């Protein structure tokens, strides 16, 4: 029985939620290991749309145990809002497990996120404003609050005092904001403790025992490789490890226990927020992709930046993550194009780069070198096998496979759970 990581190979919103959900009926545990409610995963089941932020997508499948791992940062008010909204729609969160070592996003993290972005002005990251960066900064700075701290008021108070000490100097003296009191923060966090208690567990132990017992685990990443704090387009990244290694540190499961690493890639690309994006389109083709693909953020509703497929990014992601399988999504969106450009390399001030430039300035100057593939006009949303696809769609996929450094195991042809062309079994 395998342990499978599902992650994004581009800049997020590749359709990770749908990919995880599809494995749902065959898995026992689904583990979120990084990020927080900056993520937005949309799953469509029988025409009903679910948007998940903190809870892993597998929660929509009966029988699956959802786990929020130690690598996640948790805004507890958002967690309960999400649980309540799902339960109102008949989805039970009863089996949810939350790591006692996960860090908490406190109200002051949201404040700091917003004021920092405002202060950065033109140099802003374009964050989701959910307090993600400041919460991870506190974790690394060793002044974070962990879930287990909520169950001991004395310790909680000490830790909040430690966390607020420097922040209040910054808020008041640099950002001209009011100081945040220890009392208001402690009261806010303690207010969740009793409701949270039944979900809290030693999740690394639970997950390793589940693997010992032959259970199937899926580790679902938030964000994506190009937003990873180490391997993405730093500093225009999120603050966590969204790549395959993050699945281990963020869950407490060792790398020798992971069987498969599945990368999810759109048949084109999108990005939300600031930062370099070589294949970005600023013309009517970009607007066409945005409208046809419904490219508006699940979390913030922002219009996503859009562009053609980037094989340099795909190869980089294959390498960094050690991908075993690629799931290509939203192929249906490209239907009706005469020619489909695909970037195979970059031109950086007259120099050709076949692989990702190591230097940030080079990446900011990278211009795509395109190949143009033939498109198709037939509706492909009903395709379930490769042979159901028009020959040019098949050729598009064969070519992507050749230039992306990984075999393609499934192809999305619509948002619905069933709208997938299956090629290789992801759990086999
Ligand atoms: P995630 O963050 O990676 O889970 O992706 P999002 O849910 O933010 O964005 C992906 C969007 O594409 C969602 O609206 C999905 O319902 C939709 N989607 C996923 N796969 C497909 C597909 O194959 N075709 C189409 N048309 N839409 C898809
Ligand atoms: P899913 O899981 C797309 C982007 C933000 C911003 C940068 C940093 O749905 O793919 P943060 O709030 O994390 O500090 O913002 O990262 N970002 C995402 N973009 N999809 C996401 O998640 C994202 N999560 C964060 O837009 O550029
Ligand atoms: Mg998303």
């Amino acid at each position: 029985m395998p342990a499978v990581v599902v992650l994004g190979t581009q800049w997020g919103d590749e359709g990770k939620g749908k990919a995880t959900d599809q494995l749902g009926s065959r898995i026992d545990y689904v583990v979120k290991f990084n990020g927080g409610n900056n993520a937005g995963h949309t799953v469509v089941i029988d025409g009903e749309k679910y948007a998940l932020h903190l809870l892993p997508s597998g929660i929509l499948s009966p029988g699956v145990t959802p786990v929020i791992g130690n690598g996640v940062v948790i805004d507890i008010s958002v967690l309960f809002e999400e649980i309540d909204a799902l339960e109102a729609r008949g989805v039970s969160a009863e089996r949810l497990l939350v790591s006692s070592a996960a860090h908490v996003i406190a109200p002051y993290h949201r404040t700091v996120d917003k004021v920092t972005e405002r202060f950065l002005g033109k140099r802003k990251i374009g964050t989701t404003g959910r307090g993600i960066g400041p919460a991870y900064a506190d974790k690394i700075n060793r002044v974070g609050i962990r879930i287990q701290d909520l169950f001991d008021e004395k310790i909680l108070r000490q830790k909040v005092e430690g966390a607020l000490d420097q922040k209040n100097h910054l808020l008041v003296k640099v950002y001209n904001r009011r100081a945040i009191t220890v009392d208001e923060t402690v009261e806010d966090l303690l207010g969740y403790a009793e409701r949270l208690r039944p979900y809290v567990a030693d999740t690394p132990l639970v997950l390793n025992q589940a693997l010992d017992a032959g259970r199937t685990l899926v580790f679902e990443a938030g964000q994506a490789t190009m937003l990873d704090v180490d391997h993405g387009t730093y500093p225009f990244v999120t603050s966590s490890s969204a790549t395959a290694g993050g699945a281990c540190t963020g869950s407490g499961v060792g790398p020798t226990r992971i069987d498969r690493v599945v990368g999810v890639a759109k048949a084109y690309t999108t990005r939300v927020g600031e930062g370099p994006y070589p294949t970005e389109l600023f013309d009517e083709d970009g607007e066409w992709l945005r409208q046809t693909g419904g490219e508006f953020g699940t979390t913030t509703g922002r219009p996503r930046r859009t562009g053609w497929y980037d094989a340099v990014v795909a190869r980089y992601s294959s390498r960094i993550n050690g991908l075993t399988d690629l799931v290509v999504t939203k192929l249906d969106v490209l239907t009706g194009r005469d020619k489909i450009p695909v970037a195979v390399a970059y031109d950086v001030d007259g120099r050709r780069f076949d692989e990702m430039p190591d230097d940030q300035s080079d990446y900011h100057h990278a211009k795509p070198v395109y190949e143009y593939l033939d498109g198709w006009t037939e509706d492909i949303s009903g395709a379930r096998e490769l042979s159901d696809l028009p020959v040019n769609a098949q050729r598009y996929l064969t070519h992507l496979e050749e230039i992306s450094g990984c075999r393609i195991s499934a192809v999305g042809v619509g948002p619905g759970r069933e709208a997938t062309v299956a090629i290789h079994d992801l759990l086999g």
Side-chain angles (χ1 to χ4, degrees):
M1 288 291 176
V4 178
V5 180
V6 174
L7 55 80
T9 60
Q10 299 163 335
W11 283 278
D13 306 322
E14 296 90 348
K16 300 175 288 291
K18 179 187 154 184
T20 311
D21 170 69
Q22 274 184 320
L23 301 173
S25 60
R26 299 169 59 202
I27 62 184
D28 301 301
Y29 291 80
V30 61
V31 188
K32 184 178 169 90
F33 61 81
N34 75 305
N37 58 314
N38 47 349
H41 305 305
T42 310
V43 178
V44 182
I45 304 169
D46 298 330
E48 271 216 56
K49 200 164 163 174
Y50 296 85
L52 298 156
H53 299 282
L54 251 173
L55 295 167
S57 309
I59 197 165
L60 300 173
S61 301
V64 176
T65 300
V67 177
I68 296 182
N70 55 276
V72 175
V73 286
I74 305 177
D75 186 325
I76 310 171
S77 63
V78 173
L79 176 66
F80 287 137
E81 273 169 33
E82 208 169 321
I83 291 176
D84 290 342
L86 280 183
E87 293 199 328
R89 295 174 74 178
V91 178
S92 168
E94 207 180 20
R95 290 181 315 278
L96 174 69
L97 300 177
V98 175
S99 167
S100 58
H103 280 246
V104 169
I105 299 181
Y108 50 78
H109 291 129
R110 290 193 294 269
T111 308
V112 172
D113 195 355
K114 287 179 184 143
V115 293
T116 321
E117 280 281 277
R118 215 168 297 147
F119 204 73
L120 280 170
K122 280 209 320 239
R123 290 180 297 121
K124 72 175 195 289
I125 310 293
T127 72
T128 58
R130 304 296 195 258
I132 306 292
Y136 278 115
D138 277 4
K139 171 177 174 174
I140 300 300
N141 214 12
R142 294 164 294 191
V143 290
I145 311 293
R146 296 195 296 171
I147 290 292
Q148 58 190 267
D149 300 328
L150 265 56
F151 307 113
D152 185 329
E153 184 173 347
K154 194 162 148 244
I155 285 186
L156 179 66
R157 187 167 288 277
Q158 272 173 16
K159 293 199 172 179
V160 170
E161 270 168 14
L164 279 177
D165 196 25
Q166 284 186 358
K167 261 176 223 81
N168 274 333
H169 283 294
L170 203 69
L171 283 173
V172 174
K173 293 181 186 150
V174 179
Y175 297 123
N176 206 17
R177 303 279 295 225
R178 80 169 176 88
I180 295 166
T181 69
V182 173
D183 282 344
E184 66 183 298
T185 307
V186 169
E187 195 186 329
D188 180 83
L189 295 178
L190 279 181
Y192 302 115
E194 284 321 302
R195 187 170 175 200
L196 193 62
R197 196 188 285 274
Y199 298 112
V200 178
D202 178 352
T203 53
L205 181 64
V206 171
L207 295 175
N208 279 285
Q209 286 177 337
L211 283 168
D212 293 343
R215 302 275 180 259
T216 300
L217 276 61
V218 168
F219 299 85
E220 184 191 31
Q223 296 76 55
T225 304
M226 300 308 282
L227 291 174
D228 180 277
V229 68
D230 283 274
H231 302 291
T233 54
Y234 191 90
F236 300 100
V237 293
T238 191
S239 301
S240 69
S241 299
T243 41
C248 296
T249 46
S251 71
V253 168
T256 51
R257 309 204 79 173
I258 307 286
D259 300 292
R260 303 278 279 273
V261 183
V262 177
V264 186
K266 271 181 198 166
Y268 49 98
T269 51
T270 61
R271 176 166 200 164
V272 191
E274 306 301 319
Y277 178 8
T279 63
E280 181 169 15
L281 293 165
F282 300 96
D283 55 9
E284 66 268 23
D285 283 346
E287 190 53 33
W288 181 86
L289 277 176
R290 188 173 304 111
Q291 296 303 333
T292 315
E295 298 298 354
F296 297 89
T298 310
T299 296
T300 59
R302 289 180 286 180
R304 294 176 180 150
R305 299 159 66 191
T306 50
W308 299 121
Y309 190 82
D310 187 331
V312 183
V313 164
R315 286 197 294 277
Y316 179 71
S317 276
S318 297
R319 196 159 63 236
I320 292 292
N321 295 298
L323 293 187
T324 57
D325 303 84
L326 198 60
V327 173
V328 174
T329 62
K330 303 191 100 163
L331 187 68
D332 52 302
V333 174
L334 295 179
T335 300
R337 303 294 308 187
D338 182 27
K339 291 279 181 190
I340 307 171
V342 169
V344 291
Y346 299 136
D347 179 288
V348 180
D349 306 325
R351 284 176 298 154
R352 183 183 166 109
F353 280 71
D354 288 297
E355 300 301 339
M356 186 68 68
D358 182 45
D359 185 282
Q360 188 194 350
S361 301
D362 285 342
Y363 200 57
H364 280 258
H365 292 178
K367 300 267 177 294
V369 175
Y370 282 125
E371 277 181 2
Y372 296 84
L373 308 186
D374 291 329
W376 59 93
T377 51
E378 299 89 332
D379 178 2
I380 61 168
S381 57
R384 296 296 175 264
E385 291 180 23
L386 262 187
S387 56
D388 297 337
L389 291 171
V391 89
N392 281 350
Q394 291 187 39
R395 284 195 185 127
Y396 184 75
L397 292 171
T398 309
H399 196 66
L400 288 200
E401 191 166 73
E402 279 165 9
I403 59 181
S404 299
C406 186
R407 72 173 186 179
I408 297 175
S409 294
V411 182
V413 290
R417 200 181 236 182
E418 69 300 333
T420 299
V421 171
I423 303 169
H424 303 290
D425 185 2
L426 295 174
L427 297 179

